[in-house]
């Protein structure tokens, strides 16, 4: 689909004892796209050794399903020094290329992943896929277009995209050059490239300033209507409250919401999809061009996904830091990445005055109801490790996981006179680890106990994460003057002054 996209990697060869400088280039051009499939040319010079493995991702971070982007590859061929090379397909996503003498050129054609976003695509995981509409709009998820050489996913990347007319390429990637018809991006690695999708369309953008953090809203609607300014005005108060909730400082200096709206005329059926990234979120909407209608899902997605700047951007396990695109090892801490993020999403409005006690209790009730509908036949740790296989329980990370985080927050507050909760715990863990320093899966509970200074917290987490025990919802809520009655969270009549004080310290209500 792209005839002239240049990807430059300056790396040291992964072959032991060899210090050759290797340059990688992808070439494509969005300006002359007419029909799928899209020709892509990959050039690599300074190759040490006569054999390489070229791969397309099987999975990508944030999606717990086998997507097999290699199935979209057609007509792959390779040459070296003007000679045609032997190319053997190993599996759906991998090719072994033999006979290389210093440099290699790999050419292939690739289909895009979807044409429209509608109700029929509900289970198709559109958000990590690419969409190309000639001279109109391009959703570029790099993982669906560009493969990599095994052993080089941590190498620096430079990307040049030629786009039609005066289209604007929106992304959180660093921009080295912006000129009419061309944008040059750079990234620290293939992993970073995949983590930063691009929306290319006629400019419809708005900027929100959160102190030193620049947030861009970039939109495209098939209706032709401009959305960005209204959407930015709507979510700006939310983002400011989220920043305040996180202590006034965010772990990013920029963030981009990429919104693709497929306009329909059906007010009775609509859907939306979103995928978080470290510095951006891809949002796909299928609904009428009604700004009030669009605001609700945008608010819902933004309130959850923006918190992912903390989890897992700042705090994450080795499995995420060293993600293996051909078959990733899962972390047992899905409860943390999604459960804690979702807990922040419902807890922040209470602490920041965006909801009242009734609204907060309703949010907790919803999580309890969802958890009780699940099988709850495996521990949250096992759910993380088996997240691909156990899609029937996957949403429990957002329900049961959230309730464990709530119980942990109340437990920490009750042990600290109300002064220390999960907000402080996650902030302290972020200081110990950080964006480029992952934790080991099996060490996290011990470290949580150490940084919180609360003996027994590790045992609490083992009980409700590692073991298949449901969180102590009733016991936790009673400590703050609440209870579960007839399936709903309500206030305890005549709750003690101590319980009411702890509730105030916990949620501000």
């Amino acid at each position: 689909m792209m005839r002239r996209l240049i990807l430059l990697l300056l790396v040291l060869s992964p072959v032991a004892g060899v210090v050759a400088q290797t340059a990688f280039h992808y070439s494509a051009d969005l300006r002359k796209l007419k029909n799928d499939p899209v020709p892509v040319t990959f050039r690599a010079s300074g190759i040490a050794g006569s054999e390489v493995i070229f791969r397309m991702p099987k999975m990508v971070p944030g999606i717990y399903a086998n997507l097999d982007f290699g199935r979209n590859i057609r007509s792959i061929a390779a040459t070296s020094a003007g000679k045609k090379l032997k190319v053997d397909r190993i599996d759906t996503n991998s090719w072994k290329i033999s006979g290389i003498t210093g440099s290699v050129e790999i050419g292939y054609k690739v289909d895009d992943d979807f044409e429209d976003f509608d109700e029929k695509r509900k289970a198709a995981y559109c958000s990590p896929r690419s969409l190309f509409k000639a001279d109109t709009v391009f959703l570029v998820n790099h993982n669906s277009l560009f493969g990599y050489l095994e052993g080089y996913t941590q190498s620096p990347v430079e990307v040049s995209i030629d786009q039609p007319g005066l289209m604007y390429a929106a992304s959180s990637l660093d921009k080295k050059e912006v000129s009419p018809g061309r944008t040059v991006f750079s990234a620290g690695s293939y992993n970073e490239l995949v983590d930063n999708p691009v929306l290319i369309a006629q400019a419809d953008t708005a900027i929100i300033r959160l102190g030193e953090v620049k947030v861009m809203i970039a939109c495209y609607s098939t209706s032709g209507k401009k959305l960005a300014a209204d959407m930015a005005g709507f979510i700006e108060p939310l983002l400011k409250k989220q920043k305040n909730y996180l202590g006034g400082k965010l772990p990013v200096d920029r963030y981009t919401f990429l919104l693709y709206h497929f306009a329909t005329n059906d007010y009775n059926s609509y859907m939306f999809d979103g995928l978080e990234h470290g510095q951006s979120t891809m949002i796909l909407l299928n609904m009428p061009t009604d700004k009030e209608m669009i605001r609700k899902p945008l608010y819902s997605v933004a309130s959850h996904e923006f918190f992912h700047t903390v989890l897992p951007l700042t705090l994450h396990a080795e499995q995420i830091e060293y993600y293996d695109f051909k078959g990733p090892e899962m972390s047992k801490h899905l409860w943390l990445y999604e459960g804690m993020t979702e807990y922040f999403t419902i807890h922040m409005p209470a602490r920041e005055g965006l909801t009242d006690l009734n609204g907060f209790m309703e949010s907790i009730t919803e999580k309890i109801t969802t958890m009780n509908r699940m099988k709850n036949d495996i521990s949250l740790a096992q759910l993380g490790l088996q997240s691909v296989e156990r899609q029937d329980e996957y949403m429990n990370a957002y329900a049961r996981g959230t309730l464990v985080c709530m119980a942990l927050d109340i437990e920490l507050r009750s042990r600290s006179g109300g002064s220390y909760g999960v907000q402080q715990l996650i902030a302290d863990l972020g200081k110990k680890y950080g964006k480029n320093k992952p934790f080991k899966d099996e060490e996290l509970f011990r470290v949580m106990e150490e940084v919180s200074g609360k003996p027994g917290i590790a045992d609490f987490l083992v009980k409700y994460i590692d073991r298949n025990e449901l969180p102590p919802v009733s016991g936790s809520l009673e400590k703050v003057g609440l209870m579960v009655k007839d399936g709903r969270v309500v206030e305890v009549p005549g709750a003690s002054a101590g319980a009411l004080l702890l509730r105030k310290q916990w949620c501000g209500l």
Side-chain angles (χ1 to χ4, degrees), residues 36-51:
D36 294 334
V38 177
V40 175
T41 301
F42 172 68
R43 298 180 181 90
S45 59
I47 299 294
S50 62
E51 186 175 284

Side-chain angles (χ1 to χ4, degrees), residues 397-410:
Y398 298 81
R400 185 171 159 191
T402 298
L403 294 171
V404 167
C405 294
M406 179 193 75
L408 174 62
D409 197 7
I410 294 173

Side-chain angles (χ1 to χ4, degrees), residues 14-36:
V15 180
V18 178
V19 239
Q21 190 178 63
T22 308
F24 299 104
H25 305 260
Y26 282 99
S27 299
D29 192 335
L30 293 176
R31 297 172 302 178
K32 298 182 179 180
L33 174 66
K34 292 189 181 300
N35 298 304
D36 294 334

Side-chain angles (χ1 to χ4, degrees), residues 319-339:
Q319 290 89 335
I320 292 178
E321 178 74 12
Y322 310 116
Y323 193 87
D324 184 354
F325 292 95
K326 71 178 182 293
E329 178 186 354
M330 296 293 110
S331 167
K332 77 175 188 177
H333 296 298
L334 179 64
W335 72 274
L336 179 69
Y337 311 133
E338 297 299 349

Side-chain angles (χ1 to χ4, degrees), residues 220-256:
Y220 175 80
S221 174
T222 60
S223 70
K225 294 184 177 180
K226 302 294 186 181
L227 300 175
D230 283 341
M231 298 304 106
F234 181 61
I235 66 170
E236 182 174 3
L238 168 69
L239 300 184
K240 288 181 176 179
K241 291 291 187 180
Q242 287 181 300
K243 180 185 177 185
N244 188 60
Y245 179 82
L246 293 173
K249 186 171 179 59
L250 295 170
V252 295
D253 58 6
R254 62 189 176 279
Y255 197 89
T256 307

Side-chain angles (χ1 to χ4, degrees), residues 114-119 131 133 136-137 139 219-227 259-272 283-291 293-294:
F114 72 107
E115 300 300 329
D116 293 317
F117 182 71
D118 56 32
E119 189 71 17
L131 176 147
K133 294 185 177 181
T136 305
V137 62
L139 295 182
C219 301
Y220 175 80
S221 174
T222 60
S223 70
K225 294 184 177 180
K226 302 294 186 181
L227 300 175
L259 189 151
Y260 173 79
H261 170 238
F262 184 78
T264 72
N265 295 317
D266 188 353
Y267 279 79
N268 297 315
S269 178
Y270 70 92
M271 61 176 296
F272 60 96
I283 304 173
L284 306 180
L285 304 176
N286 181 76
M287 58 184 59
T289 310
D290 182 327
K291 291 179 180 178
M293 193 172 182
I294 291 172

Side-chain angles (χ1 to χ4, degrees), residues 46 94 194 312 393 399 402 429:
S94 309
V194 169
E393 280 289 296
T402 298
L429 288 169

